[in-house]
Amino acid sequence: GQQPPAGYAAAPPSPVVPGPTYPHGGASPAPGPAWPASAPAGGATPRPRGRALTFVAFGLALVLAVVSGVQAYQISRLSDRLADTDQRLATAQSGDGARLDGLEQRAQALEKQAGAQFNPEAVATAVLPSVFRVRAGQFTGTAFAVGKPDTGGGTNLFTNFHVVESVWVGGGREVFLERTDQRYPATIVKVDEVNDIAQLRTTSKFTGLVTAPAAVKPGQQIVVVGAPLGLQDSVTTGVVSAFREAGQGSGPVIQFDAPINPGNSGGPVINGQKQVVGIATAKARDAEGIGLAVPIKVACDGFRIC
């Protein structure tokens, strides 16, 4: 080599450090695969995965515990609210039951009041199907079905004796009942000339009217149904003027002020409860508002068909 220029000192030679020897005798390692070097002594080591999973599990458990607590609290609140609602419902139902009982009592009272009120239209509607025009020879009058059906399957009726008198005295027994366009044959079964009552019977079936159990009183409102002058299904109203006891050879009579005319004889006199109280018989001549009827008890006691 060349000498360094003047003025410069020569560098001291590098010391030779003995190194490991390799099998091939060289100073450097033989070529071959490179192995990973070991980590430096002062470097950081990776954190284990098990610890992270532990933290995650603990977090989930904590969340579940919080959710469960919240749900338990909500369930407790709902249970309290349901119990309170049940109590309110029980109280309301008790109050409703009391109110319903009160309403039922008021309804019953109103029904009684309505029944006590006089309603001629309702009375006529219930009675008319059981009332007939009677043709007995040349005479016409009225008859009405009464009581239960006859044992033979027919219907018993009441009328006045003077309505069927000409047929009965002449030895006949057949008369005819007329209603609207229908005509039914009937038979005179029995008569009471003193009280002016006659019993008829027909094989046809009709609803019998109910008779009143008690005697009428003055002022009681009534309906009279009949066929005055042959005009069937005629209805008049009035009040009982008096109840006159038997005397001077005649039986008891009901005096009333409802208008009647020839043809009404034998028709029913009805009270507000749709019960027969008498049989219209006659009207006073040369007077207004004086009609007479045979008490229904007299007819029932004499004929035993009520």
Side-chain angles (χ1 to χ4, degrees), residues 98-173:
R99 284 193 293 271
L100 285 174
D101 292 339
L103 289 174
E104 288 180 356
Q105 292 176 357
R106 290 183 61 187
Q108 291 176 358
L110 290 174
E111 288 179 356
K112 290 181 180 179
Q113 292 178 2
Q117 292 180 351
F118 185 62
N119 188 344
E121 180 181 359
V123 173
T125 301
V127 171
L128 281 173
S130 301
V131 181
F132 304 86
R133 179 173 57 197
V134 177
R135 288 199 179 273
Q138 301 297 319
F139 295 89
T140 61
T142 305
F144 61 94
V146 65
K148 297 180 180 180
D150 186 71
T151 55
T155 305
N156 290 308
L157 304 96
F158 277 140
T159 188
N160 283 142
F161 170 68
H162 73 260
V163 172
V164 298
E165 182 178 3
S166 62
V167 176
W168 177 267
V169 172
R173 296 293 181 269

Side-chain angles (χ1 to χ4, degrees), residues 200-214:
L200 308 180
R201 181 178 299 160
T202 179
T203 56
S204 301
K205 296 182 181 179
F206 301 103
T207 301
L209 299 181
V210 178
T211 58

Side-chain angles (χ1 to χ4, degrees), residues 3-303:
Q3 293 293 325
Y8 289 87
S14 301
V16 178
V17 180
T21 59
Y22 295 91
H24 61 276
S28 60
W35 300 95
S38 61
T45 59
R47 179 174 296 177
R49 295 180 60 187
R51 180 178 295 180
L53 292 175
T54 301
F55 281 116
V56 171
F58 178 76
L60 289 175
L62 181 61
V63 171
L64 289 176
V66 172
V67 171
S68 299
V70 172
Q71 290 180 342
Y73 174 74
Q74 291 178 343
I75 291 173
S76 177
R77 289 288 304 275
L78 287 174
S79 298
D80 294 340
R81 292 176 65 183
L82 286 174
D84 184 59
T85 301
D86 290 340
Q87 185 176 3
R88 287 201 301 264
L89 284 175
T91 303
Q93 289 176 352
S94 177
D96 290 341
R99 284 193 293 271
L100 285 174
D101 292 339
L103 289 174
E104 288 180 356
Q105 292 176 357
R106 290 183 61 187
Q108 291 176 358
L110 290 174
E111 288 179 356
K112 290 181 180 179
Q113 292 178 2
Q117 292 180 351
F118 185 62
N119 188 344
E121 180 181 359
V123 173
T125 301
V127 171
L128 281 173
S130 301
V131 181
F132 304 86
R133 179 173 57 197
V134 177
R135 288 199 179 273
Q138 301 297 319
F139 295 89
T140 61
T142 305
F144 61 94
V146 65
K148 297 180 180 180
D150 186 71
T151 55
T155 305
N156 290 308
L157 304 96
F158 277 140
T159 188
N160 283 142
F161 170 68
H162 73 260
V163 172
V164 298
E165 182 178 3
S166 62
V167 176
W168 177 267
V169 172
R173 296 293 181 269
E174 185 179 48
V175 296
F176 293 95
L177 307 175
E178 297 177 344
R179 174 155 188 78
T180 61
D181 296 331
Q182 302 295 320
R183 197 177 196 199
Y184 310 93
T187 303
I188 305 171
V189 177
K190 183 180 177 181
V191 299
D192 179 356
E193 299 183 27
V194 175
N195 293 302
D196 197 16
I197 304 169
Q199 175 191 349
L200 308 180
R201 181 178 299 160
T202 179
T203 56
S204 301
K205 296 182 181 179
F206 301 103
T207 301
L209 299 181
V210 178
T211 58
V216 296
K217 296 179 180 181
Q220 183 177 359
Q221 293 177 302
I222 56 168
V223 174
V224 180
V225 183
L229 305 179
L231 302 173
Q232 61 180 343
D233 293 345
S234 294
V235 178
T236 58
T237 63
V239 298
V240 174
S241 303
F243 182 82
R244 307 203 178 277
E245 300 290 347
Q248 297 180 356
S250 64
V253 295
I254 299 171
Q255 178 186 337
F256 58 89
D257 69 349
I260 60 172
N261 290 281
N264 275 115
S265 296
V269 179
I270 313 291
N271 62 17
Q273 287 72 46
K274 306 170 187 176
Q275 300 169 335
V276 182
V277 297
I279 304 173
T281 301
K283 63 173 291 187
R285 294 184 178 181
D286 302 325
E288 295 295 335
I290 300 180
L292 302 175
V294 178
I296 193 62
K297 185 178 185 304
V298 174
C300 292
D301 290 345
F303 292 84

